[in-house]
Amino acid sequence: MKVLASRRLPGPAWDELRDVAYLDGPLPEGLGGERRGVEALAVVGERVEAGSLDLLPDLRLVANYGAGYDLIDVEECRRRGVAVTNTPGVLDAAVADLTFALILAVRRRVVEADGFVRAGRWAHHWAEPYLVGGDIGAATLGIVGLGNIGSAVARRARAFDMRVLYTRRRSEESELGEQRPLDDLLGEADVVTLHVPLTPETTHLLDRRRLALLPDGACLINTARGQVVDEDALLDELASGRLRAGLDVFAHEPHVPERLRALPNAVLAPHIGSATKETRSAMTRLVVDNILAAAAGRPLVTPV
Ligand code: 8YV
C-alpha cells in the first residue's frame, strides 16, 4: 500500500512500512498536485479536508497520529469511502501524567520557584510568604469529561487524596468520584481539568460566564484542546490574578498570546501531553497496524 506521511514517525514500527513518501509542506499545498496511487495518508497535526481529498483520488485510509481527530473532516472522508483511524488508549497515562505535572506545578508554584532560585533571590525566603501554594490533598478536583484520560487523571487524584468531581457524557455513575452538572462542578472545584474532545458542542465550553463560576484562586488545567476554552476570557481572568492555569494547548497553536506568556500565574507547555518515548512509539505502532490492516483487507484496529 502506497503511504504518504507528514513525517517519519518515531519508534521501530515505522520501518515495517515499505512504500512511504513524505509531504512537502502542510496540506493541501504539500501534496504538490494530484497524487494518484496513494492509498493511505498518515498525518500528524494536519488539517485534512475536501481540498486535499480531491488530490488523492485513490485514498482509502487517513491514519491520524493522535487520539483527537478534530482537524480531520471525518464526514467528508466517510462520504468518499475513506476510513479514518486514530490512536486512542495508548496515550492515556502520558496525558494524565502531564495533567498531574501541571496540577502540581501550578498549585505548588514550581516554575515560579525555579525562577526564584535562578534569579538569586533565595536568601530571604522566610521573610515573606514567598512561594506558598496549596496542599494537593486539600483540593477538590473537577474533571470535565471522565473518559479514558479523565479516568486516568481521577485515579492519580485519588492517590493524592483529592476529592474528585466529574462530568461525563454517559449518565452512569463512576466510583472514581461524584458526578455533577458542569456549572455546579465549576463552582465547587479548586482545580478544573479538561478532558473532552474538541467538537462543535465543546468549542468554548468554558466561556466567559462559566470561567466566572470558578472560585477565586482556582486553577484551570488544559491538556485537551485550546478551543474548549474562550482564550481571551481566560486571559482576562489570569491577568486579574483571580485564576491560575496550567496549559499544554492553545486556541491557535503554535501561537501563544504575548499577554499570556508574560503572566507568572500560568504554566505553559507546547502540546507535550503524549510526548514520551514509550507513548509516541506505541502511537506509531497503532498507525502502522491500521495501515497494515487496511492493506491486507482486515478490520481496522482503531477506526474513528
Ligand atoms: C498530538 C494529541 O496529536 O493525541 C492527541 O490528540 O493531541 C497529541 O497526541 C500528537 O502529539 C501529534 O501532534
Side-chain angles (χ1 to χ4, degrees), residues 3-209:
V3 180
L4 191 60
S6 298
R7 57 175 59 94
R8 222 200 120 74
L9 296 182
W14 192 246
D15 295 325
E16 293 173 31
L17 297 177
R18 293 275 153 259
D19 191 1
V20 189
Y22 295 92
L23 284 171
D24 199 14
L27 289 172
E29 295 78 18
L31 291 168
E34 190 179 73
R35 301 287 286 261
R36 291 204 167 266
V38 170
E39 290 177 288
L41 181 65
V43 281
V44 186
E46 293 276 354
R47 209 169 265 290
V48 180
E49 292 168 330
S52 300
L53 297 171
D54 285 343
L55 299 173
L56 297 165
D58 301 317
L59 196 66
R60 288 163 46 200
L61 173 68
V62 175
N64 183 48
Y65 186 74
Y69 47 85
D70 44 282
L71 294 177
I72 296 172
D73 188 340
V74 177
E75 253 332 292
E76 187 58 36
C77 288
R78 190 163 295 154
R79 243 192 307 279
R80 295 166 186 241
V82 176
V84 178
T85 60
N86 65 340
T87 62
V90 294
L91 43 67
D92 298 346
V95 178
D97 287 345
L98 183 79
T99 301
F100 241 84
L102 290 172
I103 293 172
L104 294 169
V106 175
R107 224 171 135 75
R108 294 304 309 273
R109 305 176 63 179
V110 177
V111 177
E112 283 173 83
D114 178 272
F116 188 80
V117 172
R118 287 172 200 272
R121 295 174 56 199
W122 190 358
H124 305 295
H125 77 301
W126 284 114
E128 292 176 57
Y130 278 144
L131 301 172
V132 170
D135 273 342
I136 303 300
T140 295
L141 177 67
I143 299 177
V144 179
L146 192 79
N148 292 335
I149 296 173
S151 297
V153 172
R155 288 191 294 276
R156 285 158 178 73
R158 287 166 65 103
F160 275 88
D161 296 328
M162 297 179 94
R163 174 169 171 249
V164 175
L165 309 177
Y166 67 85
T167 67
R168 76 181 335 180
R169 251 178 320 199
R170 290 174 281 152
S171 60
E172 81 252 30
E173 302 282 330
S174 159
E175 79 288 348
L176 290 170
E178 302 160 44
Q179 192 160 9
R180 289 279 189 283
L182 178 57
D183 285 8
D184 294 0
L185 175 146
L186 296 174
E188 255 187 276
D190 304 297
V191 181
V192 170
T193 182
L194 305 177
H195 301 289
V196 290
L198 180 65
T199 64
E201 293 74 42
T202 64
T203 300
H204 286 198
L205 182 68
L206 262 61
D207 55 10
R208 200 170 284 275
R209 178 189 73 79

Side-chain angles (χ1 to χ4, degrees), residues 44-45 65-68 91 225 271 274 280 283:
V44 186
Y65 186 74
L91 43 67
R225 286 292 182 269
H271 202 142
S274 66
R280 288 278 165 91
M283 290 165 70

